[in-house]
Structure formats: C-alpha cells, structure tokens
C-alpha cells in the first residue's frame, strides 16, 4: 500500500494540519486545479482556508475549483445542492474569480452530453483532490460496484447514501441520483487527500486499511495511488493506528 496515513489528536488539529499543507501547495502552485467535495467532513478545513485568505496568507486568485459531484432532482437554489453547500462553506468567501468555479450541469436535458462537457472542462486533470469517504466506502457518488475506469457519469445513489443525504436537506425529498466525477480522473490526479473524521467512519477506515483494492470499496483504489494521503482524526482512526 502506498497510501500515507496521518492521524491527528482532534478534529481541530486535523483541520489545521490539512490547511497547512493546502496553503503550501497553493504557494508552490498558485494556479492549482482543485476537485473539492461538498458534504460536512471538509467544512472545518474550508473554514481554516477562509481564515487564511482573510489574513492574507493564502490566495485562490489564480486557482480553479471543480465541484466533485451534484445531486439530481433538486431545485437550483436548494441549499442541499452540493454547489450551494460548497459556495456557502468555501467558495463565496475566497478571492476566487466566479468564473473559476466549475460545476456539472445536473439540470441539462441531455445528461450524457453534460458529463462529456464537464470532462472536457476538467481537461488536463487535477493537481489536488479532496474526498470524503462515505460510510459504505464511496467517494463522490462512485458507489460500491462502480467501474474503476469511469469518467463523469450519472450515478444512482445507494440507500445508505440517500439516507445520509438527509443531513444536508431542509425537506424530505431526498435525492436518489446525481452526476459525479468518475474514478478515472480522480485516480489520475497528481495528489489526493482522503478525509475521515468521527467514530462513524472508523469502521470503513479500518476496512480501507485492511483490504486490497477492489470495486466494492471505491476508496480502496487510492491505496495504490502514487501520491495519496488519508487524514484521520482520533475518532475515525479508531483502534487501527493506536
Ligand atoms: P460527509 O459525507 O462528508 O458528510 O461525512 C461523506 C460522504 O458521504 O461522501
């Protein structure tokens, strides 16, 4: 396994440690092309980066951000939409030009065409990808069973993922599908950071560290990525690193 594992004593230290590395990457390459997850896991890291932009120690003026995935069937202004969450928790508070934030066109009549268009916009790929790990091992909407060589695609959500989307919704019309960047461009990224916090993720983290790469556990493909890190807080690390 090439995956490098780093665990932190608390979620606050975890967020600061990851933000330190992110700031370094941006300093080394101000035109960093990011793929970023919405969801709750990265919110503390995003808050740290906003703070650093405000104090002048980080800048996104030449960077690009691509949204990892988006729920289908929600109104464009639904606060649970991934783009709206990422705007609220990060993008709206950065010095990033609005034209440098890219999202898949989940409302397009032709979703296949929308996926190919997103792949074309992604073009040369990502310098840095941040991914939360779902409790069933998904990354983005690449659910267990997803082919490893897939590009941006329409994905059906597993029951567990539909249920956990409730955390993001202020209604009960939970999404059942979405568009997601596929495993192929994620695995082609120059650097990938897998994120997990909290005791609810300890089980999937233990599996990720114990099992060989296989498609029932999509996050496991990153075990053999040449430049991937798994960042854990104490609760998500559970017993495996004790
Ligand atoms: P979370 O979700 O960041 O809200 O824990 C992770 C995921 O399900 O992808």
């Amino acid at each position: 396994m090439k995956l490098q594992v780093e665990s932190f004593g608390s979620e606050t230290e975890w967020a600061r440690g990851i933000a330190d590395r992110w700031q370094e990457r941006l300093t080394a390459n101000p035109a960093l092309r990011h793929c970023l997850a919405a969801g709750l896991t990265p919110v503390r890291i995003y808050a740290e980066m906003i703070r650093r932009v405000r104090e002048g120690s980080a800048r996104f003026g030449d960077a690009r951000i691509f949204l990892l995935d988006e729920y289908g069937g929600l109104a464009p202004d639904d606060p649970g939409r991934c783009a709206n969450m990422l705007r609220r928790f990060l993008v709206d508070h950065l010095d990033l030009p609005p034209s440098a934030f890219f999202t898949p066109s989940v409302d397009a009549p032709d979703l296949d065409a929308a996926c190919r268009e997103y792949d074309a916009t992604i073009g040369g790929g990502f310098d840095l990808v941040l991914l939360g790990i779902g409790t069933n091992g998904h990354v983005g909407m690449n659910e267990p069973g997803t082919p490893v060589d897939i590009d941006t695609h329409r994905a059906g959500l597993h029951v567990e993922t539909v249920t956990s989307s409730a955390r993001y919704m202020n209604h009960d019309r939970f999404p059942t599908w979405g568009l997601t960047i596929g495993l192929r461009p994620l695995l082609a990224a120059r650097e990938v950071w897998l994120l997990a916090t909290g005791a609810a993720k300890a089980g999937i983290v233990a599996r990720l560290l114990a099992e060989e790469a296989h498609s029932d556990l999509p996050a496991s493909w990153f075990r053999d990525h040449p430049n991937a890190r798994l960042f854990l807080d104490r609760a998500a690390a559970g017993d495996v690193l004790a």
Side-chain angles (χ1 to χ4, degrees):
M1 179 175 88
K2 298 188 186 126
L3 182 68
Q4 299 167 59
V5 185
E6 292 189 44
S7 87
F8 295 83
S10 69
E11 203 182 334
T12 303
E13 287 169 43
W14 170 90
R16 288 201 187 123
I18 297 168
D20 288 346
R21 287 164 183 77
W22 191 347
Q23 187 179 328
E24 280 167 26
R25 301 297 187 277
L26 271 171
T27 304
N29 177 11
L32 208 68
R33 294 168 67 88
H34 305 77
C35 168
L36 298 183
L40 291 176
T41 301
V43 166
R44 276 179 184 239
I45 307 167
Y46 295 161
E48 269 295 316
M49 293 310 288
I50 292 167
R51 196 174 62 70
R52 288 159 200 239
V53 166
R54 287 190 177 143
E55 73 185 18
S57 52
R59 59 178 297 274
F60 286 77
D62 296 315
R64 284 168 191 234
I65 294 178
F66 295 82
L67 179 66
L68 170 65
D69 54 9
E70 183 58 278
Y71 292 124
L74 300 179
D77 62 351
D78 191 309
R81 287 257 287 227
C82 298
N84 296 334
M85 286 194 271
L86 193 59
R87 285 198 184 94
R88 197 159 70 241
F89 291 123
L90 181 71
V91 170
D92 282 352
H93 311 281
L94 300 179
D95 53 340
L96 184 86
S99 61
F101 178 48
F102 301 91
T103 62
S105 303
V106 77
D107 305 310
D110 182 344
L111 291 174
D112 281 340
C115 291
R116 300 294 69 77
E117 194 185 311
Y118 201 46
D119 285 331
T121 310
I122 292 167
F126 304 117
D127 298 304
L128 180 62
V129 172
L130 268 68
L131 297 172
I133 305 173
T135 48
N136 68 355
H138 71 216
V139 286
M141 293 173 189
N142 293 278
E143 297 277 23
T146 303
V148 67
D149 58 354
I150 198 164
D151 285 317
T152 300
H153 61 283
R154 179 193 161 124
L157 301 177
H158 286 200
V159 171
E160 194 172 334
T161 308
V162 174
T163 310
S164 60
S165 76
R167 291 171 293 170
Y168 312 135
M169 305 296 151
N170 59 10
H171 53 74
D172 58 7
R173 298 177 305 284
F174 305 146
T176 56
W177 64 276
L179 297 188
T180 185
I181 295 177
L183 290 168
R184 195 196 58 77
L186 298 177
L187 284 161
R190 279 169 274 286
E191 183 161 11
V192 179
W193 294 349
L194 297 172
L195 313 172
T197 56
K201 299 280 168 80
I204 195 66
V205 164
R207 280 189 56 203
L208 171 61
L209 295 175
E211 296 177 18
E212 294 296 315
H214 64 104
S215 45
D216 285 343
L217 208 178
S220 67
W221 294 115
F222 296 93
R223 287 170 52 99
D224 299 318
H225 187 282
N227 192 12
R229 287 184 167 72
L230 171 64
F231 289 111
L232 306 171
D233 71 350
R234 192 187 296 279
D239 298 333
V240 282
L241 299 174

